Amino acid sequence: MSVNGTISHEIASLLRDEILRSQYRRGERLPSERDLAARFNASRGAVREALSQLEQLGLIRILPGGARVQAIDAASIAILGPLMAIDVLPDPLLVDQFLQTFGALAALTARSAINQASNEEMRNLQGMVERLGKHAGDFGAMQTRWREFLEYLATVADNLVVRLIGNDLKAQFVEQMMNLGINPVMKPATIKQLVNSLKLALASKDAELAATTIQMQFDELRMAVGEAISLKQASYQKQAV
Amino acid sequence: MSVNGTISHEIASLLRDEILRSQYRRGERLPSERDLAARFNASRGAVREALSQLEQLGLIRILPGGARVQAIDAASIAILGPLMAIDVLPDPLLVDQFLQTFGALAALTARSAINQASNEEMRNLQGMVERLGKHAGDFGAMQTRWREFLEYLATVADNLVVRLIGNDLKAQFVEQMMNLGINPVMKPATIKQLVNSLKLALASKDAELAATTIQMQFDELRMAVGEAISLKQASYQKQAV
DNA sequence: CGACCAATTTGGTCAGACCAATTCTAACTG
DNA sequence: CAGTTAGAATTGGTCTGACCAAATTGGTCG
């Protein structure tokens, strides 16, 4: 899970997952730092660093007398990744909410981008959409192109708030999906239609149209991902038998 | 800034602000833990805890050889609050981006809420909008009602991802605005129009209409807040003379 | 000038200690 | 017996000083 192989990160990761698995009730007191140190065969310092991280994540509150577990929905976005990774398959509902949110932000980005784009940026965007139209067959290549397109939109829109959120979400989500090898399948016809809509939006500098198109794009993606997960789920159950 | 009065939080807060003030270039190495400890008259342990927090914020990366400063736009949302609080007045552009983002998420929330609301929840929503229509004069009361309305929308929509983001954003933003005493002024006529639109959307269960209405509501708010900040700015400059 | 090796620095971790504030316990009181 | 309260045990916050492995640095040699 955590790339950095330090003990404190390790401890933080373990405790985080335990909390996310709701093995502690909200408001409950975590074991004392000394107890945790004993349990993990580590020094108190290492445990304190771990707790410090969990506090930053909003999972616990440390105060004299003991560290207390907070409500999950008071935490930071950074817990979403671990939360999805806890079970073998991510919670489909959570994934759906994820894509909804991502879609809304992408739509906002598209709107701003078109409103602010310079002539040159506009040409670049049109070029990218053009290329988006081809490669309708190869899924991998297409996904890459889409991501580049969205990335460039973000650059043009230049909204720090959205960018920060996007970073977090991407870090939490995309990686998960990749690991699971979930390949959403979208109908070529639908894609072509969306691309055409995008072209039109760019040509006429219609920010609203671009926004709704992106929105629809993500709605399609949501459905496709949902089906992909269902499939995976079925195959897992098959294995279990 | 930081509520918790521990030394490690204090150090983290100071270093964070220095980094946000770009007193370190990206990729640059932070002073060593020992040096920092000497500078802050603290133990290395306290410094390490502070650095641990900054790492969680995405501001730095700690690795053997030294802690290096990361690009601001690779950080977590949690830095937005401090970022806005660095100058006497928050950067208007940042505030605007903030509200845009918040608006997009609120619109999404409204859409989902209406799509998922039970009959009882629907009645509650209608009641709240009804009350929203009154009190058009008293700004404080109205703001409270709006916030309750949005809060309830979030409850109904029940989207964990949006909720987590919203938590962060609110924690970072609303508090700042409050502290500065920025009172955006919106035309009563506009408000009335928006409320009517909301009523209609609820009555006909039109999720799209609700979403766009909320969107417009925030667009109005953006303009109002922008003006309010300009005013403040002018008064500050007046003081300086 | 570039490759290589040794000394130094740096982060990671540990052990043990002290303080102040909180929490717990048990005796005490009405 | 319930409620209060004083004292003991626990807990987080911090410090000191130490050791290791990896990385950085600086000088030396080809």
Side-chain angles (χ1 to χ4, degrees), chain A residues 114-153:
Chain A
I114 292 195
N115 282 333
Q116 302 179 203
S118 68
N119 287 339
E120 187 192 343
E121 288 169 336
M122 212 56 168
R123 276 193 300 276
N124 291 338
L125 284 174
Q126 286 174 323
M128 295 182 91
V129 171
E130 204 67 48
R131 263 167 282 153
L132 222 50
K134 300 157 190 177
H135 307 278
D138 183 359
F139 174 74
M142 216 190 65
Q143 199 187 26
T144 308
R145 296 231 190 288
W146 267 99
R147 213 180 303 169
E148 284 172 1
F149 176 58
L150 289 175
E151 187 58 41
Y152 190 64
L153 274 181

mmCIF file of all heavy atoms in Angstrom, chain A residues 114-153:
data_model
loop_
_atom_site.group_PDB
_atom_site.id
_atom_site.type_symbol
_atom_site.label_atom_id
_atom_site.label_comp_id
_atom_site.label_asym_id
_atom_site.label_seq_id
_atom_site.Cartn_x
_atom_site.Cartn_y
_atom_site.Cartn_z
ATOM 1 N N ILE A 114 -12.806 26.446 -21.899
ATOM 2 C CA ILE A 114 -13.281 27.057 -23.138
ATOM 3 C C ILE A 114 -13.493 28.549 -22.980
ATOM 4 O O ILE A 114 -13.224 29.340 -23.882
ATOM 5 C CB ILE A 114 -14.578 26.362 -23.604
ATOM 6 C CG1 ILE A 114 -14.227 24.943 -24.031
ATOM 7 C CG2 ILE A 114 -15.238 27.136 -24.726
ATOM 8 C CD1 ILE A 114 -15.283 24.265 -24.814
ATOM 9 N N ASN A 115 -13.932 28.951 -21.814
ATOM 10 C CA ASN A 115 -14.130 30.371 -21.584
ATOM 11 C C ASN A 115 -12.815 31.147 -21.550
ATOM 12 O O ASN A 115 -12.797 32.347 -21.828
ATOM 13 C CB ASN A 115 -14.892 30.593 -20.272
ATOM 14 C CG ASN A 115 -16.378 30.339 -20.433
ATOM 15 O OD1 ASN A 115 -16.914 30.485 -21.536
ATOM 16 N ND2 ASN A 115 -17.032 29.959 -19.353
ATOM 17 N N GLN A 116 -11.754 30.481 -21.196
ATOM 18 C CA GLN A 116 -10.498 31.195 -20.998
ATOM 19 C C GLN A 116 -9.442 30.913 -22.059
ATOM 20 O O GLN A 116 -8.382 31.548 -22.059
ATOM 21 C CB GLN A 116 -9.894 30.814 -19.633
ATOM 22 C CG GLN A 116 -10.795 31.094 -18.459
ATOM 23 C CD GLN A 116 -10.162 30.675 -17.163
ATOM 24 O OE1 GLN A 116 -10.825 30.431 -16.174
ATOM 25 N NE2 GLN A 116 -8.824 30.573 -17.165
ATOM 26 N N ALA A 117 -9.717 29.944 -22.926
ATOM 27 C CA ALA A 117 -8.672 29.487 -23.835
ATOM 28 C C ALA A 117 -8.216 30.583 -24.790
ATOM 29 O O ALA A 117 -9.030 31.342 -25.323
ATOM 30 C CB ALA A 117 -9.167 28.281 -24.617
ATOM 31 N N SER A 118 -6.921 30.673 -24.997
ATOM 32 C CA SER A 118 -6.386 31.550 -26.026
ATOM 33 C C SER A 118 -6.620 30.880 -27.381
ATOM 34 O O SER A 118 -7.041 29.724 -27.444
ATOM 35 C CB SER A 118 -4.898 31.759 -25.814
ATOM 36 O OG SER A 118 -4.209 30.550 -26.067
ATOM 37 N N ASN A 119 -6.332 31.600 -28.436
ATOM 38 C CA ASN A 119 -6.539 31.018 -29.762
ATOM 39 C C ASN A 119 -5.696 29.769 -29.961
ATOM 40 O O ASN A 119 -6.158 28.765 -30.494
ATOM 41 C CB ASN A 119 -6.197 32.053 -30.843
ATOM 42 C CG ASN A 119 -7.271 33.136 -30.925
ATOM 43 O OD1 ASN A 119 -8.406 32.907 -30.473
ATOM 44 N ND2 ASN A 119 -6.902 34.287 -31.455
ATOM 45 N N GLU A 120 -4.455 29.880 -29.528
ATOM 46 C CA GLU A 120 -3.567 28.742 -29.707
ATOM 47 C C GLU A 120 -4.051 27.536 -28.909
ATOM 48 O O GLU A 120 -4.108 26.410 -29.414
ATOM 49 C CB GLU A 120 -2.153 29.130 -29.260
ATOM 50 C CG GLU A 120 -1.125 28.043 -29.566
ATOM 51 C CD GLU A 120 0.187 28.329 -28.864
ATOM 52 O OE1 GLU A 120 0.395 29.477 -28.437
ATOM 53 O OE2 GLU A 120 0.981 27.374 -28.719
ATOM 54 N N GLU A 121 -4.437 27.785 -27.676
ATOM 55 C CA GLU A 121 -4.936 26.688 -26.840
ATOM 56 C C GLU A 121 -6.168 26.065 -27.479
ATOM 57 O O GLU A 121 -6.362 24.852 -27.457
ATOM 58 C CB GLU A 121 -5.247 27.205 -25.435
ATOM 59 C CG GLU A 121 -3.997 27.540 -24.623
ATOM 60 C CD GLU A 121 -4.299 28.295 -23.345
ATOM 61 O OE1 GLU A 121 -5.362 28.969 -23.267
ATOM 62 O OE2 GLU A 121 -3.486 28.228 -22.416
ATOM 63 N N MET A 122 -6.989 26.924 -28.046
ATOM 64 C CA MET A 122 -8.194 26.437 -28.699
ATOM 65 C C MET A 122 -7.836 25.486 -29.840
ATOM 66 O O MET A 122 -8.431 24.416 -29.984
ATOM 67 C CB MET A 122 -8.978 27.641 -29.249
ATOM 68 C CG MET A 122 -10.461 27.435 -29.250
ATOM 69 S SD MET A 122 -11.077 27.018 -27.601
ATOM 70 C CE MET A 122 -12.822 27.210 -27.875
ATOM 71 N N ARG A 123 -6.837 25.886 -30.626
ATOM 72 C CA ARG A 123 -6.411 25.025 -31.727
ATOM 73 C C ARG A 123 -5.895 23.693 -31.179
ATOM 74 O O ARG A 123 -6.216 22.625 -31.703
ATOM 75 C CB ARG A 123 -5.321 25.727 -32.539
ATOM 76 C CG ARG A 123 -5.870 26.676 -33.596
ATOM 77 C CD ARG A 123 -4.780 27.084 -34.577
ATOM 78 N NE ARG A 123 -3.657 27.766 -33.908
ATOM 79 C CZ ARG A 123 -3.618 29.071 -33.617
ATOM 80 N NH1 ARG A 123 -4.650 29.824 -33.942
ATOM 81 N NH2 ARG A 123 -2.573 29.612 -33.034
ATOM 82 N N ASN A 124 -5.105 23.769 -30.128
ATOM 83 C CA ASN A 124 -4.585 22.530 -29.547
ATOM 84 C C ASN A 124 -5.724 21.607 -29.106
ATOM 85 O O ASN A 124 -5.706 20.403 -29.365
ATOM 86 C CB ASN A 124 -3.706 22.849 -28.326
ATOM 87 C CG ASN A 124 -2.415 23.524 -28.727
ATOM 88 O OD1 ASN A 124 -1.977 23.407 -29.878
ATOM 89 N ND2 ASN A 124 -1.812 24.247 -27.796
ATOM 90 N N LEU A 125 -6.697 22.214 -28.454
ATOM 91 C CA LEU A 125 -7.832 21.418 -27.985
ATOM 92 C C LEU A 125 -8.528 20.745 -29.147
ATOM 93 O O LEU A 125 -8.840 19.552 -29.117
ATOM 94 C CB LEU A 125 -8.816 22.308 -27.209
ATOM 95 C CG LEU A 125 -8.377 22.694 -25.793
ATOM 96 C CD1 LEU A 125 -9.350 23.695 -25.183
ATOM 97 C CD2 LEU A 125 -8.285 21.456 -24.912
ATOM 98 N N GLN A 126 -8.759 21.531 -30.190
ATOM 99 C CA GLN A 126 -9.451 20.956 -31.352
ATOM 100 C C GLN A 126 -8.646 19.809 -31.945
ATOM 101 O O GLN A 126 -9.195 18.783 -32.332
ATOM 102 C CB GLN A 126 -9.689 22.057 -32.391
ATOM 103 C CG GLN A 126 -10.803 23.014 -31.966
ATOM 104 C CD GLN A 126 -10.970 24.187 -32.905
ATOM 105 O OE1 GLN A 126 -9.995 24.716 -33.433
ATOM 106 N NE2 GLN A 126 -12.217 24.614 -33.098
ATOM 107 N N GLY A 127 -7.321 20.019 -31.998
ATOM 108 C CA GLY A 127 -6.471 18.952 -32.512
ATOM 109 C C GLY A 127 -6.608 17.687 -31.681
ATOM 110 O O GLY A 127 -6.721 16.570 -32.214
ATOM 111 N N MET A 128 -6.634 17.846 -30.397
ATOM 112 C CA MET A 128 -6.714 16.681 -29.525
ATOM 113 C C MET A 128 -8.051 15.958 -29.692
ATOM 114 O O MET A 128 -8.103 14.725 -29.712
ATOM 115 C CB MET A 128 -6.528 17.112 -28.066
ATOM 116 C CG MET A 128 -5.139 17.666 -27.784
ATOM 117 S SD MET A 128 -4.886 18.119 -26.041
ATOM 118 C CE MET A 128 -4.248 16.585 -25.394
ATOM 119 N N VAL A 129 -9.104 16.723 -29.798
ATOM 120 C CA VAL A 129 -10.418 16.105 -29.977
ATOM 121 C C VAL A 129 -10.457 15.345 -31.297
ATOM 122 O O VAL A 129 -11.025 14.251 -31.393
ATOM 123 C CB VAL A 129 -11.530 17.172 -29.936
ATOM 124 C CG1 VAL A 129 -12.859 16.560 -30.337
ATOM 125 C CG2 VAL A 129 -11.630 17.764 -28.551
ATOM 126 N N GLU A 130 -9.806 15.959 -32.294
ATOM 127 C CA GLU A 130 -9.742 15.301 -33.595
ATOM 128 C C GLU A 130 -9.119 13.916 -33.443
ATOM 129 O O GLU A 130 -9.663 12.903 -33.900
ATOM 130 C CB GLU A 130 -8.888 16.162 -34.540
ATOM 131 C CG GLU A 130 -9.197 15.945 -36.007
ATOM 132 C CD GLU A 130 -10.600 16.437 -36.342
ATOM 133 O OE1 GLU A 130 -10.961 17.582 -35.939
ATOM 134 O OE2 GLU A 130 -11.344 15.684 -36.981
ATOM 135 N N ARG A 131 -7.984 13.888 -32.770
ATOM 136 C CA ARG A 131 -7.297 12.616 -32.573
ATOM 137 C C ARG A 131 -8.123 11.662 -31.713
ATOM 138 O O ARG A 131 -8.011 10.452 -31.800
ATOM 139 C CB ARG A 131 -5.933 12.871 -31.915
ATOM 140 C CG ARG A 131 -4.790 12.923 -32.925
ATOM 141 C CD ARG A 131 -3.550 13.474 -32.272
ATOM 142 N NE ARG A 131 -3.610 14.931 -32.145
ATOM 143 C CZ ARG A 131 -2.981 15.635 -31.216
ATOM 144 N NH1 ARG A 131 -2.271 15.007 -30.307
ATOM 145 N NH2 ARG A 131 -3.083 16.953 -31.169
ATOM 146 N N LEU A 132 -8.937 12.264 -30.837
ATOM 147 C CA LEU A 132 -9.800 11.466 -29.975
ATOM 148 C C LEU A 132 -10.768 10.635 -30.809
ATOM 149 O O LEU A 132 -11.156 9.533 -30.426
ATOM 150 C CB LEU A 132 -10.586 12.413 -29.056
ATOM 151 C CG LEU A 132 -10.757 12.031 -27.591
ATOM 152 C CD1 LEU A 132 -9.421 11.672 -26.995
ATOM 153 C CD2 LEU A 132 -11.378 13.188 -26.848
ATOM 154 N N GLY A 133 -11.159 11.221 -31.929
ATOM 155 C CA GLY A 133 -12.135 10.552 -32.787
ATOM 156 C C GLY A 133 -11.603 9.260 -33.357
ATOM 157 O O GLY A 133 -12.331 8.275 -33.491
ATOM 158 N N LYS A 134 -10.325 9.258 -33.713
ATOM 159 C CA LYS A 134 -9.733 8.022 -34.235
ATOM 160 C C LYS A 134 -9.440 7.080 -33.073
ATOM 161 O O LYS A 134 -9.797 7.341 -31.939
ATOM 162 C CB LYS A 134 -8.450 8.373 -34.996
ATOM 163 C CG LYS A 134 -8.746 9.301 -36.160
ATOM 164 C CD LYS A 134 -7.526 10.108 -36.569
ATOM 165 C CE LYS A 134 -7.952 11.187 -37.574
ATOM 166 N NZ LYS A 134 -6.845 12.060 -37.956
ATOM 167 N N HIS A 135 -8.784 5.998 -33.353
ATOM 168 C CA HIS A 135 -8.411 5.041 -32.299
ATOM 169 C C HIS A 135 -9.616 4.553 -31.515
ATOM 170 O O HIS A 135 -9.481 4.153 -30.354
ATOM 171 C CB HIS A 135 -7.421 5.636 -31.311
ATOM 172 C CG HIS A 135 -6.221 6.222 -31.961
ATOM 173 N ND1 HIS A 135 -5.149 5.465 -32.345
ATOM 174 C CD2 HIS A 135 -5.942 7.501 -32.308
ATOM 175 C CE1 HIS A 135 -4.245 6.262 -32.897
ATOM 176 N NE2 HIS A 135 -4.699 7.499 -32.885
ATOM 177 N N ALA A 136 -10.773 4.618 -32.129
ATOM 178 C CA ALA A 136 -11.966 4.219 -31.386
ATOM 179 C C ALA A 136 -11.887 2.747 -30.991
ATOM 180 O O ALA A 136 -12.547 2.309 -30.069
ATOM 181 C CB ALA A 136 -13.222 4.469 -32.219
ATOM 182 N N GLY A 137 -11.062 2.001 -31.691
ATOM 183 C CA GLY A 137 -10.972 0.583 -31.402
ATOM 184 C C GLY A 137 -10.104 0.268 -30.197
ATOM 185 O O GLY A 137 -10.555 -0.312 -29.214
ATOM 186 N N ASP A 138 -8.857 0.722 -30.268
ATOM 187 C CA ASP A 138 -7.903 0.390 -29.214
ATOM 188 C C ASP A 138 -8.269 1.081 -27.909
ATOM 189 O O ASP A 138 -8.192 2.296 -27.772
ATOM 190 C CB ASP A 138 -6.505 0.820 -29.678
ATOM 191 C CG ASP A 138 -5.443 0.450 -28.655
ATOM 192 O OD1 ASP A 138 -5.819 -0.114 -27.619
ATOM 193 O OD2 ASP A 138 -4.264 0.716 -28.914
ATOM 194 N N PHE A 139 -8.621 0.282 -26.910
ATOM 195 C CA PHE A 139 -9.067 0.882 -25.648
ATOM 196 C C PHE A 139 -7.943 1.616 -24.923
ATOM 197 O O PHE A 139 -8.101 2.743 -24.491
ATOM 198 C CB PHE A 139 -9.649 -0.193 -24.729
ATOM 199 C CG PHE A 139 -9.982 0.324 -23.364
ATOM 200 C CD1 PHE A 139 -11.097 1.123 -23.175
ATOM 201 C CD2 PHE A 139 -9.163 0.049 -22.285
ATOM 202 C CE1 PHE A 139 -11.397 1.622 -21.928
ATOM 203 C CE2 PHE A 139 -9.460 0.551 -21.035
ATOM 204 C CZ PHE A 139 -10.576 1.339 -20.866
ATOM 205 N N GLY A 140 -6.800 0.953 -24.832
ATOM 206 C CA GLY A 140 -5.686 1.544 -24.099
ATOM 207 C C GLY A 140 -5.272 2.887 -24.679
ATOM 208 O O GLY A 140 -5.162 3.884 -23.957
ATOM 209 N N ALA A 141 -5.058 2.915 -25.995
ATOM 210 C CA ALA A 141 -4.633 4.149 -26.648
ATOM 211 C C ALA A 141 -5.666 5.244 -26.437
ATOM 212 O O ALA A 141 -5.329 6.403 -26.176
ATOM 213 C CB ALA A 141 -4.443 3.892 -28.140
ATOM 214 N N MET A 142 -6.926 4.856 -26.520
ATOM 215 C CA MET A 142 -7.979 5.840 -26.383
ATOM 216 C C MET A 142 -7.995 6.435 -24.969
ATOM 217 O O MET A 142 -8.117 7.640 -24.795
ATOM 218 C CB MET A 142 -9.325 5.204 -26.689
ATOM 219 C CG MET A 142 -10.269 6.135 -27.398
ATOM 220 S SD MET A 142 -11.898 5.428 -27.449
ATOM 221 C CE MET A 142 -12.307 5.387 -25.717
ATOM 222 N N GLN A 143 -7.843 5.549 -24.009
ATOM 223 C CA GLN A 143 -7.864 6.031 -22.637
ATOM 224 C C GLN A 143 -6.739 7.038 -22.406
ATOM 225 O O GLN A 143 -6.934 8.078 -21.776
ATOM 226 C CB GLN A 143 -7.722 4.852 -21.669
ATOM 227 C CG GLN A 143 -8.189 5.190 -20.267
ATOM 228 C CD GLN A 143 -7.880 4.089 -19.295
ATOM 229 O OE1 GLN A 143 -6.954 3.314 -19.474
ATOM 230 N NE2 GLN A 143 -8.660 4.017 -18.231
ATOM 231 N N THR A 144 -5.573 6.705 -22.951
ATOM 232 C CA THR A 144 -4.446 7.624 -22.822
ATOM 233 C C THR A 144 -4.782 8.979 -23.418
ATOM 234 O O THR A 144 -4.544 10.027 -22.814
ATOM 235 C CB THR A 144 -3.215 7.051 -23.538
ATOM 236 O OG1 THR A 144 -2.992 5.724 -23.061
ATOM 237 C CG2 THR A 144 -1.995 7.910 -23.262
ATOM 238 N N ARG A 145 -5.353 8.948 -24.642
ATOM 239 C CA ARG A 145 -5.701 10.206 -25.301
ATOM 240 C C ARG A 145 -6.713 10.988 -24.478
ATOM 241 O O ARG A 145 -6.605 12.193 -24.340
ATOM 242 C CB ARG A 145 -6.297 9.922 -26.673
ATOM 243 C CG ARG A 145 -5.324 9.277 -27.622
ATOM 244 C CD ARG A 145 -5.252 10.003 -28.946
ATOM 245 N NE ARG A 145 -4.502 9.250 -29.928
ATOM 246 C CZ ARG A 145 -3.190 9.095 -29.882
ATOM 247 N NH1 ARG A 145 -2.490 9.641 -28.900
ATOM 248 N NH2 ARG A 145 -2.564 8.381 -30.789
ATOM 249 N N TRP A 146 -7.684 10.323 -23.939
ATOM 250 C CA TRP A 146 -8.684 11.005 -23.124
ATOM 251 C C TRP A 146 -8.036 11.666 -21.917
ATOM 252 O O TRP A 146 -8.328 12.806 -21.565
ATOM 253 C CB TRP A 146 -9.767 10.025 -22.650
ATOM 254 C CG TRP A 146 -10.952 9.986 -23.563
ATOM 255 C CD1 TRP A 146 -11.205 9.054 -24.518
ATOM 256 C CD2 TRP A 146 -12.016 10.939 -23.629
ATOM 257 N NE1 TRP A 146 -12.354 9.369 -25.177
ATOM 258 C CE2 TRP A 146 -12.887 10.507 -24.659
ATOM 259 C CE3 TRP A 146 -12.325 12.097 -22.933
ATOM 260 C CZ2 TRP A 146 -14.033 11.214 -24.996
ATOM 261 C CZ3 TRP A 146 -13.471 12.802 -23.266
ATOM 262 C CH2 TRP A 146 -14.310 12.362 -24.287
ATOM 263 N N ARG A 147 -7.159 10.907 -21.317
ATOM 264 C CA ARG A 147 -6.533 11.467 -20.128
ATOM 265 C C ARG A 147 -5.709 12.692 -20.483
ATOM 266 O O ARG A 147 -5.727 13.697 -19.776
ATOM 267 C CB ARG A 147 -5.669 10.409 -19.440
ATOM 268 C CG ARG A 147 -5.670 10.606 -17.941
ATOM 269 C CD ARG A 147 -4.818 9.578 -17.249
ATOM 270 N NE ARG A 147 -5.249 8.216 -17.569
ATOM 271 C CZ ARG A 147 -4.537 7.163 -17.258
ATOM 272 N NH1 ARG A 147 -3.378 7.297 -16.647
ATOM 273 N NH2 ARG A 147 -4.977 5.966 -17.566
ATOM 274 N N GLU A 148 -4.983 12.606 -21.595
ATOM 275 C CA GLU A 148 -4.205 13.768 -22.031
ATOM 276 C C GLU A 148 -5.111 14.962 -22.290
ATOM 277 O O GLU A 148 -4.803 16.092 -21.927
ATOM 278 C CB GLU A 148 -3.420 13.417 -23.295
ATOM 279 C CG GLU A 148 -2.191 12.565 -23.034
ATOM 280 C CD GLU A 148 -1.549 12.077 -24.329
ATOM 281 O OE1 GLU A 148 -2.068 12.426 -25.411
ATOM 282 O OE2 GLU A 148 -0.544 11.356 -24.237
ATOM 283 N N PHE A 149 -6.226 14.671 -22.905
ATOM 284 C CA PHE A 149 -7.179 15.738 -23.206
ATOM 285 C C PHE A 149 -7.668 16.407 -21.927
ATOM 286 O O PHE A 149 -7.635 17.642 -21.783
ATOM 287 C CB PHE A 149 -8.362 15.154 -24.002
ATOM 288 C CG PHE A 149 -9.444 16.141 -24.292
ATOM 289 C CD1 PHE A 149 -9.173 17.308 -25.002
ATOM 290 C CD2 PHE A 149 -10.742 15.915 -23.853
ATOM 291 C CE1 PHE A 149 -10.170 18.223 -25.286
ATOM 292 C CE2 PHE A 149 -11.751 16.835 -24.129
ATOM 293 C CZ PHE A 149 -11.465 17.979 -24.837
ATOM 294 N N LEU A 150 -8.090 15.596 -20.982
ATOM 295 C CA LEU A 150 -8.566 16.148 -19.714
ATOM 296 C C LEU A 150 -7.449 16.907 -19.001
ATOM 297 O O LEU A 150 -7.668 17.967 -18.416
ATOM 298 C CB LEU A 150 -9.079 15.018 -18.810
ATOM 299 C CG LEU A 150 -10.392 14.375 -19.261
ATOM 300 C CD1 LEU A 150 -10.745 13.198 -18.371
ATOM 301 C CD2 LEU A 150 -11.517 15.403 -19.230
ATOM 302 N N GLU A 151 -6.261 16.351 -19.086
ATOM 303 C CA GLU A 151 -5.118 17.004 -18.456
ATOM 304 C C GLU A 151 -4.884 18.390 -19.050
ATOM 305 O O GLU A 151 -4.668 19.368 -18.334
ATOM 306 C CB GLU A 151 -3.875 16.114 -18.648
ATOM 307 C CG GLU A 151 -2.656 16.588 -17.892
ATOM 308 C CD GLU A 151 -2.911 16.681 -16.404
ATOM 309 O OE1 GLU A 151 -3.574 15.762 -15.841
ATOM 310 O OE2 GLU A 151 -2.485 17.672 -15.803
ATOM 311 N N TYR A 152 -4.961 18.437 -20.356
ATOM 312 C CA TYR A 152 -4.741 19.723 -21.017
ATOM 313 C C TYR A 152 -5.872 20.700 -20.697
ATOM 314 O O TYR A 152 -5.637 21.888 -20.501
ATOM 315 C CB TYR A 152 -4.605 19.537 -22.531
ATOM 316 C CG TYR A 152 -4.150 20.777 -23.242
ATOM 317 C CD1 TYR A 152 -2.888 21.314 -22.987
ATOM 318 C CD2 TYR A 152 -4.971 21.428 -24.156
ATOM 319 C CE1 TYR A 152 -2.465 22.471 -23.616
ATOM 320 C CE2 TYR A 152 -4.548 22.585 -24.801
ATOM 321 C CZ TYR A 152 -3.292 23.096 -24.527
ATOM 322 O OH TYR A 152 -2.882 24.244 -25.144
ATOM 323 N N LEU A 153 -7.072 20.188 -20.648
ATOM 324 C CA LEU A 153 -8.196 21.034 -20.244
ATOM 325 C C LEU A 153 -7.907 21.660 -18.881
ATOM 326 O O LEU A 153 -8.116 22.858 -18.666
ATOM 327 C CB LEU A 153 -9.480 20.204 -20.147
ATOM 328 C CG LEU A 153 -10.307 20.007 -21.417
ATOM 329 C CD1 LEU A 153 -11.542 19.182 -21.098
ATOM 330 C CD2 LEU A 153 -10.718 21.346 -22.007
#
